[in-house]
Each structure stands twice: as C-alpha cells, then as structure tokens.
Amino acid sequence: MDALLETGFLEEGPRVRGGKPAAGAPDLMALVVDELACGVMVLTLEGKTLDINQVARRELSRAGLLEAGGNLPSDSSSDNGKTLLCALARVAEGKRSLINLAVEGGSLSLAVVPLKGGPGTPTRAALVFARATIHDSLMLGFFARSYGLTVTEEHVLGILCQGCPTPAIAAQMNVAVSTVRTHVRSLCAKTRSSGVRELVSRVAMLPPVAPAELYDDQVH
C-alpha cells in the first residue's frame, strides 16, 4: 500500500480493514490469494479448515497432511501433529510460530499466525507456507514463458539460480562450457539483463503468482 502511494499509482484515502463484499459479489481478496504461488490457509484452533488456496491444498495433499474432509490431521501422537497443536496453542495466546513439518524428502516450513476478529469473534489461525526455492519455484516457468525462453534456456536458468558456476553447469548438462556460455548470453539478451547476477536477482524478486499450469496439476 505505502509503495503504491509513493509511486503515485494509488491516491491517499481511507484504508478499509475487515470490509466484506456486497451480497452476491465475489470476495476479491480471496480470489487474489488463490493466485499466489505460496500456500495460505485459515483454520480454527481445533484444526478445522476454513479457507485454503490451491497451492496449500496441493502441497499438503502431496505431503499426506490433508485429511479427506480437508482438515489437518488431529493425531497428536505424530511429530507433525504435536508441532501443529503446539503452534495452535500459541495462536490462542496471540503468539506467532515458525514451524517445520516433516515430509517425504525434506520439510515443509510454515508461519502460523493469529487472526483476531472483532469483539466476541474467535481467534483463527493462518498458515503461510514458505515460498519455493528459486530454482524450483513455480515462478521460474512463468518467467521463462514470459520472455520466450527455450526449454534448455529455462533449465540453464534454474541451475544458475542454484548458484552453480558455468563449468559446473556444463558438467551437469554434459555439454561444453562454450555451449553454456552461449545459453547464458541468450538468456541475458532475451531478458534484457546486464549479467547473471542481475538475471538471478530478477528471478528471486518475482511476485509470487502461480502459473495457470498449477490448476491443471491440482490434486483434488
């Protein structure tokens, strides 16, 4: 909001908080949240899901952490269950938590924050998922298509975003170093970047908007 005011794209005016859409009108903020490339979820302190965007549903389903009814597991005997219950207990006290849930092949990092409504309104918990790492981010493909990158160029860009130098990329792709340098020059030319550092920085700072392909691959 402040950034938009500073750039002149938004006029100064009253800030609406807690506003509700008119009857029959779509909840525009909910539609926006569903387009994010990071998971967002709202639930009761008992673990009942109230709202969840596409990415959160996808990640929790693939990790086996979403029950058939769309709620989080209530089994407090598991490490993940204990971690979640502890975080929800802190939400009841108005405190935030940063937790990691064990999933196959790694961990799922979440911020658990309290959402306080008006007087008499129960406190809810919001789960905000960490963004994917740069090189496997949903945004990398979006960026590649936006600039007309080839599949190979997108692959090279993904490895560059992991911090690999040109010789390491060549070895990983089993091609000559000169071939990788040609791809890098093409990447910089197509994206109008002055060099690798600027190119990687631009990918890292992309807005977290999920590409349309996410919904084609959605886990129901």
mmCIF file of all heavy atoms in Angstrom, residues 95-133:
data_model
loop_
_atom_site.group_PDB
_atom_site.id
_atom_site.type_symbol
_atom_site.label_atom_id
_atom_site.label_comp_id
_atom_site.label_asym_id
_atom_site.label_seq_id
_atom_site.Cartn_x
_atom_site.Cartn_y
_atom_site.Cartn_z
ATOM 1 N N LYS A 95 0.214 -15.531 19.988
ATOM 2 C CA LYS A 95 1.623 -15.612 19.599
ATOM 3 C C LYS A 95 1.787 -16.282 18.244
ATOM 4 O O LYS A 95 0.986 -17.115 17.841
ATOM 5 C CB LYS A 95 2.406 -16.386 20.653
ATOM 6 C CG LYS A 95 2.378 -15.737 22.032
ATOM 7 C CD LYS A 95 3.121 -16.586 23.049
ATOM 8 C CE LYS A 95 3.079 -15.953 24.430
ATOM 9 N NZ LYS A 95 3.763 -16.792 25.444
ATOM 10 N N ARG A 96 2.866 -15.933 17.574
ATOM 11 C CA ARG A 96 3.190 -16.500 16.267
ATOM 12 C C ARG A 96 4.235 -17.597 16.396
ATOM 13 O O ARG A 96 5.020 -17.608 17.339
ATOM 14 C CB ARG A 96 3.719 -15.414 15.329
ATOM 15 C CG ARG A 96 2.770 -14.254 15.130
ATOM 16 C CD ARG A 96 3.343 -13.225 14.192
ATOM 17 N NE ARG A 96 2.361 -12.179 13.921
ATOM 18 C CZ ARG A 96 2.352 -11.455 12.801
ATOM 19 N NH1 ARG A 96 3.266 -11.668 11.866
ATOM 20 N NH2 ARG A 96 1.432 -10.536 12.614
ATOM 21 N N SER A 97 4.257 -18.498 15.419
ATOM 22 C CA SER A 97 5.244 -19.580 15.414
ATOM 23 C C SER A 97 5.780 -19.784 14.007
ATOM 24 O O SER A 97 5.077 -19.540 13.025
ATOM 25 C CB SER A 97 4.622 -20.893 15.899
ATOM 26 O OG SER A 97 4.124 -20.792 17.209
ATOM 27 N N LEU A 98 7.013 -20.226 13.928
ATOM 28 C CA LEU A 98 7.605 -20.653 12.668
ATOM 29 C C LEU A 98 7.946 -22.125 12.853
ATOM 30 O O LEU A 98 8.765 -22.480 13.709
ATOM 31 C CB LEU A 98 8.870 -19.852 12.351
ATOM 32 C CG LEU A 98 9.524 -20.124 10.995
ATOM 33 C CD1 LEU A 98 8.575 -19.776 9.866
ATOM 34 C CD2 LEU A 98 10.816 -19.327 10.866
ATOM 35 N N ILE A 99 7.289 -23.005 12.095
ATOM 36 C CA ILE A 99 7.432 -24.440 12.304
ATOM 37 C C ILE A 99 7.875 -25.142 11.028
ATOM 38 O O ILE A 99 7.745 -24.605 9.928
ATOM 39 C CB ILE A 99 6.117 -25.072 12.807
ATOM 40 C CG1 ILE A 99 5.017 -24.939 11.743
ATOM 41 C CG2 ILE A 99 5.682 -24.435 14.120
ATOM 42 C CD1 ILE A 99 3.724 -25.659 12.116
ATOM 43 N N ASN A 100 8.378 -26.350 11.199
ATOM 44 C CA ASN A 100 8.751 -27.203 10.072
ATOM 45 C C ASN A 100 8.067 -28.551 10.242
ATOM 46 O O ASN A 100 8.183 -29.177 11.300
ATOM 47 C CB ASN A 100 10.265 -27.400 10.007
ATOM 48 C CG ASN A 100 10.991 -26.160 9.544
ATOM 49 O OD1 ASN A 100 10.870 -25.750 8.390
ATOM 50 N ND2 ASN A 100 11.725 -25.533 10.436
ATOM 51 N N LEU A 101 7.326 -28.985 9.234
ATOM 52 C CA LEU A 101 6.667 -30.280 9.252
ATOM 53 C C LEU A 101 7.464 -31.243 8.384
ATOM 54 O O LEU A 101 7.901 -30.887 7.286
ATOM 55 C CB LEU A 101 5.236 -30.163 8.724
ATOM 56 C CG LEU A 101 4.303 -29.199 9.475
ATOM 57 C CD1 LEU A 101 2.921 -29.197 8.830
ATOM 58 C CD2 LEU A 101 4.202 -29.580 10.945
ATOM 59 N N ALA A 102 7.657 -32.436 8.885
ATOM 60 C CA ALA A 102 8.426 -33.443 8.148
ATOM 61 C C ALA A 102 7.593 -33.998 7.008
ATOM 62 O O ALA A 102 6.447 -34.397 7.186
ATOM 63 C CB ALA A 102 8.845 -34.563 9.088
ATOM 64 N N VAL A 103 8.157 -33.994 5.808
ATOM 65 C CA VAL A 103 7.510 -34.573 4.631
ATOM 66 C C VAL A 103 8.536 -35.440 3.922
ATOM 67 O O VAL A 103 9.733 -35.357 4.201
ATOM 68 C CB VAL A 103 6.976 -33.487 3.671
ATOM 69 C CG1 VAL A 103 5.924 -32.637 4.342
ATOM 70 C CG2 VAL A 103 8.110 -32.604 3.158
ATOM 71 N N GLU A 104 8.067 -36.264 3.017
ATOM 72 C CA GLU A 104 8.969 -37.151 2.305
ATOM 73 C C GLU A 104 10.002 -36.360 1.519
ATOM 74 O O GLU A 104 9.668 -35.510 0.705
ATOM 75 C CB GLU A 104 8.173 -38.047 1.351
ATOM 76 C CG GLU A 104 9.018 -39.088 0.644
ATOM 77 C CD GLU A 104 8.192 -40.001 -0.240
ATOM 78 O OE1 GLU A 104 6.947 -39.891 -0.220
ATOM 79 O OE2 GLU A 104 8.789 -40.819 -0.956
ATOM 80 N N GLY A 105 11.250 -36.605 1.803
ATOM 81 C CA GLY A 105 12.322 -35.942 1.084
ATOM 82 C C GLY A 105 12.694 -34.574 1.612
ATOM 83 O O GLY A 105 13.480 -33.856 0.994
ATOM 84 N N GLY A 106 12.152 -34.166 2.754
ATOM 85 C CA GLY A 106 12.513 -32.858 3.295
ATOM 86 C C GLY A 106 11.553 -32.369 4.353
ATOM 87 O O GLY A 106 11.034 -33.150 5.152
ATOM 88 N N SER A 107 11.316 -31.078 4.365
ATOM 89 C CA SER A 107 10.435 -30.488 5.355
ATOM 90 C C SER A 107 9.601 -29.387 4.717
ATOM 91 O O SER A 107 9.939 -28.857 3.657
ATOM 92 C CB SER A 107 11.231 -29.919 6.526
ATOM 93 O OG SER A 107 12.058 -28.849 6.101
ATOM 94 N N LEU A 108 8.496 -29.065 5.374
ATOM 95 C CA LEU A 108 7.578 -28.033 4.909
ATOM 96 C C LEU A 108 7.588 -26.928 5.945
ATOM 97 O O LEU A 108 7.199 -27.139 7.098
ATOM 98 C CB LEU A 108 6.174 -28.627 4.759
ATOM 99 C CG LEU A 108 5.093 -27.783 4.102
ATOM 100 C CD1 LEU A 108 5.470 -27.421 2.678
ATOM 101 C CD2 LEU A 108 3.764 -28.544 4.113
ATOM 102 N N SER A 109 8.062 -25.744 5.577
ATOM 103 C CA SER A 109 8.194 -24.623 6.509
ATOM 104 C C SER A 109 6.936 -23.758 6.467
ATOM 105 O O SER A 109 6.467 -23.379 5.392
ATOM 106 C CB SER A 109 9.416 -23.788 6.145
ATOM 107 O OG SER A 109 9.590 -22.726 7.056
ATOM 108 N N LEU A 110 6.396 -23.460 7.665
ATOM 109 C CA LEU A 110 5.164 -22.687 7.768
ATOM 110 C C LEU A 110 5.282 -21.628 8.855
ATOM 111 O O LEU A 110 5.913 -21.854 9.890
ATOM 112 C CB LEU A 110 3.971 -23.588 8.136
ATOM 113 C CG LEU A 110 3.661 -24.823 7.310
ATOM 114 C CD1 LEU A 110 2.611 -25.668 8.016
ATOM 115 C CD2 LEU A 110 3.152 -24.413 5.949
ATOM 116 N N ALA A 111 4.640 -20.490 8.625
ATOM 117 C CA ALA A 111 4.446 -19.498 9.683
ATOM 118 C C ALA A 111 3.001 -19.643 10.140
ATOM 119 O O ALA A 111 2.086 -19.711 9.318
ATOM 120 C CB ALA A 111 4.699 -18.087 9.157
ATOM 121 N N VAL A 112 2.787 -19.732 11.441
ATOM 122 C CA VAL A 112 1.445 -19.868 11.997
ATOM 123 C C VAL A 112 1.158 -18.605 12.795
ATOM 124 O O VAL A 112 1.846 -18.321 13.784
ATOM 125 C CB VAL A 112 1.339 -21.117 12.898
ATOM 126 C CG1 VAL A 112 -0.100 -21.322 13.362
ATOM 127 C CG2 VAL A 112 1.833 -22.357 12.159
ATOM 128 N N VAL A 113 0.169 -17.832 12.344
ATOM 129 C CA VAL A 113 -0.092 -16.535 12.961
ATOM 130 C C VAL A 113 -1.562 -16.407 13.362
ATOM 131 O O VAL A 113 -2.437 -16.979 12.711
ATOM 132 C CB VAL A 113 0.273 -15.377 12.007
ATOM 133 C CG1 VAL A 113 1.742 -15.432 11.639
ATOM 134 C CG2 VAL A 113 -0.569 -15.424 10.746
ATOM 135 N N PRO A 114 -1.845 -15.683 14.444
ATOM 136 C CA PRO A 114 -3.229 -15.491 14.879
ATOM 137 C C PRO A 114 -3.960 -14.456 14.035
ATOM 138 O O PRO A 114 -3.364 -13.456 13.619
ATOM 139 C CB PRO A 114 -3.084 -15.023 16.333
ATOM 140 C CG PRO A 114 -1.734 -14.388 16.395
ATOM 141 C CD PRO A 114 -0.879 -15.115 15.400
ATOM 142 N N LEU A 115 -5.214 -14.711 13.749
ATOM 143 C CA LEU A 115 -6.085 -13.756 13.059
ATOM 144 C C LEU A 115 -7.200 -13.379 14.033
ATOM 145 O O LEU A 115 -8.073 -14.191 14.327
ATOM 146 C CB LEU A 115 -6.683 -14.377 11.789
ATOM 147 C CG LEU A 115 -5.716 -14.791 10.689
ATOM 148 C CD1 LEU A 115 -6.498 -15.430 9.538
ATOM 149 C CD2 LEU A 115 -4.923 -13.594 10.182
ATOM 150 N N LYS A 116 -7.160 -12.160 14.521
ATOM 151 C CA LYS A 116 -8.134 -11.723 15.503
ATOM 152 C C LYS A 116 -9.239 -10.919 14.834
ATOM 153 O O LYS A 116 -8.970 -9.964 14.104
ATOM 154 C CB LYS A 116 -7.467 -10.880 16.583
ATOM 155 C CG LYS A 116 -6.435 -11.655 17.403
ATOM 156 C CD LYS A 116 -5.811 -10.787 18.479
ATOM 157 C CE LYS A 116 -4.795 -11.572 19.300
ATOM 158 N NZ LYS A 116 -4.169 -10.730 20.338
ATOM 159 N N GLY A 117 -10.487 -11.316 15.074
ATOM 160 C CA GLY A 117 -11.623 -10.586 14.534
ATOM 161 C C GLY A 117 -12.087 -9.531 15.532
ATOM 162 O O GLY A 117 -11.324 -9.092 16.394
ATOM 163 N N GLY A 118 -13.339 -9.152 15.428
ATOM 164 C CA GLY A 118 -13.888 -8.166 16.339
ATOM 165 C C GLY A 118 -14.212 -8.783 17.686
ATOM 166 O O GLY A 118 -13.975 -9.974 17.928
ATOM 167 N N PRO A 119 -14.773 -7.993 18.596
ATOM 168 C CA PRO A 119 -15.156 -8.489 19.917
ATOM 169 C C PRO A 119 -16.118 -9.675 19.799
ATOM 170 O O PRO A 119 -17.066 -9.638 19.028
ATOM 171 C CB PRO A 119 -15.850 -7.279 20.559
ATOM 172 C CG PRO A 119 -15.271 -6.094 19.847
ATOM 173 C CD PRO A 119 -15.066 -6.559 18.439
ATOM 174 N N GLY A 120 -15.849 -10.722 20.541
ATOM 175 C CA GLY A 120 -16.712 -11.886 20.513
ATOM 176 C C GLY A 120 -16.428 -12.842 19.365
ATOM 177 O O GLY A 120 -17.043 -13.902 19.278
ATOM 178 N N THR A 121 -15.505 -12.473 18.488
ATOM 179 C CA THR A 121 -15.156 -13.332 17.357
ATOM 180 C C THR A 121 -13.982 -14.231 17.740
ATOM 181 O O THR A 121 -12.971 -13.737 18.244
ATOM 182 C CB THR A 121 -14.763 -12.496 16.126
ATOM 183 O OG1 THR A 121 -15.839 -11.622 15.793
ATOM 184 C CG2 THR A 121 -14.457 -13.393 14.939
ATOM 185 N N PRO A 122 -14.094 -15.535 17.533
ATOM 186 C CA PRO A 122 -12.992 -16.426 17.922
ATOM 187 C C PRO A 122 -11.737 -16.178 17.096
ATOM 188 O O PRO A 122 -11.806 -15.791 15.931
ATOM 189 C CB PRO A 122 -13.564 -17.819 17.652
ATOM 190 C CG PRO A 122 -14.628 -17.610 16.616
ATOM 191 C CD PRO A 122 -15.215 -16.281 16.932
ATOM 192 N N THR A 123 -10.604 -16.372 17.733
ATOM 193 C CA THR A 123 -9.329 -16.234 17.033
ATOM 194 C C THR A 123 -9.140 -17.401 16.057
ATOM 195 O O THR A 123 -9.408 -18.547 16.393
ATOM 196 C CB THR A 123 -8.162 -16.216 18.034
ATOM 197 O OG1 THR A 123 -8.327 -15.114 18.921
ATOM 198 C CG2 THR A 123 -6.824 -16.088 17.314
ATOM 199 N N ARG A 124 -8.711 -17.077 14.875
ATOM 200 C CA ARG A 124 -8.406 -18.100 13.871
ATOM 201 C C ARG A 124 -6.898 -18.153 13.678
ATOM 202 O O ARG A 124 -6.175 -17.245 14.076
ATOM 203 C CB ARG A 124 -9.079 -17.770 12.529
ATOM 204 C CG ARG A 124 -10.547 -17.448 12.616
ATOM 205 C CD ARG A 124 -11.366 -18.616 13.115
ATOM 206 N NE ARG A 124 -12.799 -18.393 12.919
ATOM 207 C CZ ARG A 124 -13.743 -19.211 13.351
ATOM 208 N NH1 ARG A 124 -13.415 -20.291 14.025
ATOM 209 N NH2 ARG A 124 -15.016 -18.943 13.123
ATOM 210 N N ALA A 125 -6.450 -19.213 13.045
ATOM 211 C CA ALA A 125 -5.026 -19.347 12.750
ATOM 212 C C ALA A 125 -4.800 -19.303 11.250
ATOM 213 O O ALA A 125 -5.558 -19.900 10.484
ATOM 214 C CB ALA A 125 -4.484 -20.660 13.315
ATOM 215 N N ALA A 126 -3.784 -18.577 10.845
ATOM 216 C CA ALA A 126 -3.400 -18.537 9.434
ATOM 217 C C ALA A 126 -2.080 -19.270 9.269
ATOM 218 O O ALA A 126 -1.140 -19.050 10.034
ATOM 219 C CB ALA A 126 -3.269 -17.097 8.959
ATOM 220 N N LEU A 127 -2.028 -20.166 8.299
ATOM 221 C CA LEU A 127 -0.791 -20.868 7.954
ATOM 222 C C LEU A 127 -0.281 -20.283 6.646
ATOM 223 O O LEU A 127 -0.989 -20.282 5.640
ATOM 224 C CB LEU A 127 -1.042 -22.369 7.783
ATOM 225 C CG LEU A 127 -0.936 -23.260 9.037
ATOM 226 C CD1 LEU A 127 -1.913 -22.795 10.101
ATOM 227 C CD2 LEU A 127 -1.180 -24.714 8.678
ATOM 228 N N VAL A 128 0.922 -19.758 6.676
ATOM 229 C CA VAL A 128 1.537 -19.170 5.483
ATOM 230 C C VAL A 128 2.764 -19.998 5.137
ATOM 231 O O VAL A 128 3.706 -20.093 5.929
ATOM 232 C CB VAL A 128 1.921 -17.696 5.710
ATOM 233 C CG1 VAL A 128 2.494 -17.098 4.426
ATOM 234 C CG2 VAL A 128 0.715 -16.890 6.196
ATOM 235 N N PHE A 129 2.745 -20.607 3.977
ATOM 236 C CA PHE A 129 3.816 -21.503 3.558
ATOM 237 C C PHE A 129 5.012 -20.715 3.024
ATOM 238 O O PHE A 129 4.853 -19.656 2.420
ATOM 239 C CB PHE A 129 3.326 -22.440 2.450
ATOM 240 C CG PHE A 129 2.261 -23.413 2.886
ATOM 241 C CD1 PHE A 129 1.061 -22.971 3.423
ATOM 242 C CD2 PHE A 129 2.460 -24.776 2.734
ATOM 243 C CE1 PHE A 129 0.083 -23.861 3.812
ATOM 244 C CE2 PHE A 129 1.479 -25.681 3.117
ATOM 245 C CZ PHE A 129 0.290 -25.223 3.665
ATOM 246 N N ALA A 130 6.186 -21.278 3.235
ATOM 247 C CA ALA A 130 7.385 -20.665 2.674
ATOM 248 C C ALA A 130 7.322 -20.742 1.161
ATOM 249 O O ALA A 130 6.756 -21.677 0.588
ATOM 250 C CB ALA A 130 8.635 -21.386 3.172
ATOM 251 N N ARG A 131 7.893 -19.754 0.507
ATOM 252 C CA ARG A 131 7.999 -19.790 -0.944
ATOM 253 C C ARG A 131 8.937 -20.900 -1.358
ATOM 254 O O ARG A 131 9.866 -21.252 -0.627
ATOM 255 C CB ARG A 131 8.572 -18.466 -1.454
ATOM 256 C CG ARG A 131 7.564 -17.605 -2.185
ATOM 257 C CD ARG A 131 8.223 -16.383 -2.757
ATOM 258 N NE ARG A 131 8.681 -16.621 -4.112
ATOM 259 C CZ ARG A 131 9.190 -15.663 -4.886
ATOM 260 N NH1 ARG A 131 9.329 -14.459 -4.427
ATOM 261 N NH2 ARG A 131 9.562 -15.927 -6.101
ATOM 262 N N ALA A 132 8.703 -21.443 -2.527
ATOM 263 C CA ALA A 132 9.616 -22.458 -3.043
ATOM 264 C C ALA A 132 10.980 -21.832 -3.276
ATOM 265 O O ALA A 132 11.116 -20.622 -3.440
ATOM 266 C CB ALA A 132 9.077 -23.020 -4.360
ATOM 267 N N THR A 133 12.024 -22.656 -3.267
ATOM 268 C CA THR A 133 13.346 -22.136 -3.580
ATOM 269 C C THR A 133 13.344 -21.597 -5.010
ATOM 270 O O THR A 133 12.527 -21.994 -5.834
ATOM 271 C CB THR A 133 14.412 -23.236 -3.455
ATOM 272 O OG1 THR A 133 14.024 -24.346 -4.273
ATOM 273 C CG2 THR A 133 14.548 -23.693 -2.013
#
